[in-house]
Amino acid sequence: MICKKFVVPAAVAVCAAAAALTAVPAAAADPIKIGLILPMTGPFSYMGRQVSAGVQLYLAEHGDTVAGRKIEILLKDDAGTPDTSRRLAQEMVVNDKVTVLAGFGLTPQAFATAPIATQGKTPMVLMQAATSSVTEKSPYIVRTSMTLPQVTVPVAEWAARNNIHKVVTLVSDYAPGIDAETAFKSRFTAKGGEVTASLRMPMITNDFSPYLQRVRDAKPDAVFVFVPAGDSAAVFMKQFAERGLDKAGVKLLGTGDIVDDDVLGNMGDVALGTITSHHYSAAHPSAANKKFVAAIEKANKGMRPSFMAVGGYDGMRVIMEGLKATNGAGGEALVNAMKGQKFESPRGPVLIDPQTRDIVQDVYIRKVERVNGKLFNVEFDVEKAVKDPGKAAK
Ligand code: PHB
């Protein structure tokens, strides 16, 4: 029966009786709203495309209803601008009464929004932003992506074990880049290596040549690089080859952000042999991942999922399981229900650390290889159950 707002009295009585019979309180039938804030336009729109594809796939596979209530995703584009993220979050907490804030492609967006989560007592799930300290900015933040120190330390250790003695670090000059630089330096030097120079580049640039020239002049055994994944990483890889650093014997090391799966397919041979550490590869050889890759490709015109799609997929999982446990309630109860979740992700086994609300996960060492004609990050070593090293030390 469709009960419209304006009906004749007899029909009202029928509708009222029907409503009483179903015995669902009006509030309980309201949708549960999730405010998903991502860059859908601008230079980081690739993040929005990937994370939202993961979110949508999780709902398509597992249903969009919890405790008899529909999940409604309010997807808002912040175009990568922190002030916009904060304003959108405020509007959605106050006007739309969202139960959860989620998404966040870049660290500055997450930093700007954290106070809104605290003031509104609204859980905020970081599906992508990866600076270690973000989770400390609000007790309502839970992360399903990674932290830069977590994915940097394994490649620093690998370098020290593999006859690499002198390294130059080269990172984007903002919080995740500085996290990567600090983590690489401290672990590599602790293992006996030497960082001969630490160079920082603007966060958004398409001209890496002055920095690459300085690396070449320093003649290190390797350069360790972090740039935000996406188009600028592809430009970086091209210019690295054009400057002839590989031919000059400078090995390229990095976090997986420089050879992210979404753009790797189009990078060409310049990427071959690049060694990185990261928590996800589309080539991860598990049944769960094969199913995930096929489903994302099918639903998104052949798009290969990157670690960002996994952050969205697992973030949605953590939210939905949390909502099941609280019977749809949000606030602190929902944060508590997210803590300690342990499950098999397409990336491998993961845990939401109950103390830090950050993700604990396996981090793989990978090498770019051609597999059936296409470039992939092929995992060949793993460090199990890595906690964010900054927090693990506390
Ligand atoms: C971030 O801003 O936190 C960020 C962005 C892109 C990445 C990793 C981290 O690839």
Side-chain angles (χ1 to χ4, degrees):
M1 177 189 299
I2 298 169
C3 295
K4 292 209 179 109
K5 221 170 179 180
F6 300 108
V7 281
V8 293
V12 172
V14 175
C15 283
L21 272 179
T22 53
V24 176
D30 287 346
I32 297 175
K33 294 179 187 168
I34 297 174
L36 184 61
I37 304 178
L38 288 166
M40 301 304 295
T41 55
F44 298 104
S45 59
Y46 136 87
M47 296 179 173
R49 199 172 72 235
Q50 282 280 344
V51 175
S52 61
V55 167
Q56 292 306 341
L57 178 63
Y58 191 87
L59 290 173
E61 283 180 353
H62 298 85
D64 61 355
T65 307
V66 168
R69 294 167 67 189
K70 215 156 175 71
I71 297 292
E72 193 180 311
I73 304 286
L74 308 183
L75 173 60
K76 303 277 175 173
D77 174 19
D78 64 9
T81 313
D83 287 348
T84 310
S85 319
R86 186 190 170 95
R87 179 179 52 75
L88 291 170
Q90 172 103 39
E91 283 169 12
M92 287 198 284
V93 167
V94 174
N95 301 338
D96 299 307
K97 313 251 180 297
V98 294
T99 301
V100 183
L101 292 166
F104 307 100
L106 294 142
T107 289
Q109 304 167 345
F111 277 148
T113 309
I116 307 289
T118 306
Q119 286 153 24
K121 299 191 184 340
T122 308
M124 170 169 163
V125 177
L126 301 182
M127 295 173 162
Q128 160 41 35
T131 296
S132 171
S133 64
V134 183
T135 44
E136 292 164 331
K137 302 297 174 197
S138 169
Y140 288 87
I141 294 181
V142 172
R143 175 154 38 204
T144 60
S145 51
M146 59 164 180
T147 81
L148 259 308
Q150 179 183 51
V151 297
T152 296
V153 159
V155 76
E157 291 179 346
W158 182 88
R161 285 198 306 271
N162 283 274
N163 217 19
I164 291 173
H165 305 289
K166 286 187 193 316
V167 172
V168 171
T169 60
L170 180 58
V171 302
S172 293
D173 191 5
Y174 80 119
I178 293 161
D179 260 8
E181 177 193 285
T182 311
F184 188 91
K185 253 187 185 166
S186 74
R187 191 57 61 102
F188 188 59
T189 52
K191 296 282 174 187
E194 189 186 348
V195 173
T196 56
S198 290
L199 310 178
R200 295 180 183 176
M201 311 172 282
M203 180 191 167
I204 300 182
T205 180
N206 269 334
D207 183 10
F208 298 97
S209 51
Y211 306 97
L212 291 170
Q213 189 56 47
R214 285 173 66 191
V215 173
R216 207 189 153 132
D217 294 345
K219 296 192 174 48
D221 300 323
V223 56
F224 165 80
V225 181
F226 167 80
V227 290
D231 297 344
S232 69
V235 174
F236 174 84
M237 292 297 287
K238 191 164 170 282
Q239 294 183 6
F240 182 86
E242 281 166 3
R243 286 265 136 191
L245 271 86
D246 48 348
K247 300 209 173 56
V250 181
K251 222 174 167 29
L252 178 58
L253 306 174
T255 60
D257 306 78
I258 56 171
V259 281
D260 161 72
D261 281 295
D262 194 351
V263 288
L264 180 60
N266 299 322
M267 272 186 189
D269 287 355
V270 297
L272 277 173
T274 304
I275 302 274
T276 57
S277 52
H278 228 210
H279 55 299
Y280 178 70
S281 166
H284 181 63
S286 71
N289 186 50
K290 285 187 179 136
K291 181 169 166 270
F292 175 74
V293 173
I296 287 280
E297 286 181 350
K298 185 159 180 236
N300 299 278
K301 302 193 180 104
M303 179 180 85
R304 189 196 282 184
S306 76
F307 63 98
M308 298 194 187
V310 183
Y313 186 78
D314 289 347
M316 211 50 226
R317 192 259 183 214
V318 167
I319 294 170
M320 294 287 275
E321 289 299 313
L323 285 169
K324 264 191 217 165
T326 62
N327 205 22
E332 203 183 326
L334 181 54
V335 174
N336 287 335
M338 292 182 188
K339 289 179 186 173
Q341 285 192 32
K342 201 173 179 184
F343 57 97
E344 163 86 6
S345 155
R347 65 186 106 177
V350 300
L351 161 75
I352 303 299
D353 186 333
Q355 271 80 46
T356 63
R357 293 165 275 108
D358 232 325
I359 191 155
V360 181
Q361 57 193 334
D362 295 353
V363 178
Y364 307 86
I365 310 287
R366 316 94 51 84
K367 185 176 187 180
V368 176
E369 290 177 12
R370 228 171 244 296
V371 181
N372 299 329
K374 292 188 185 153
L375 294 182
F376 280 97
N377 292 296
V378 176
E379 297 166 348
F380 64 89
D381 204 352
V382 62
E383 201 164 312
K384 300 293 258 179
V386 182
K387 283 189 172 198
D388 178 41
K391 296 180 196 108
K394 280 178 190 166

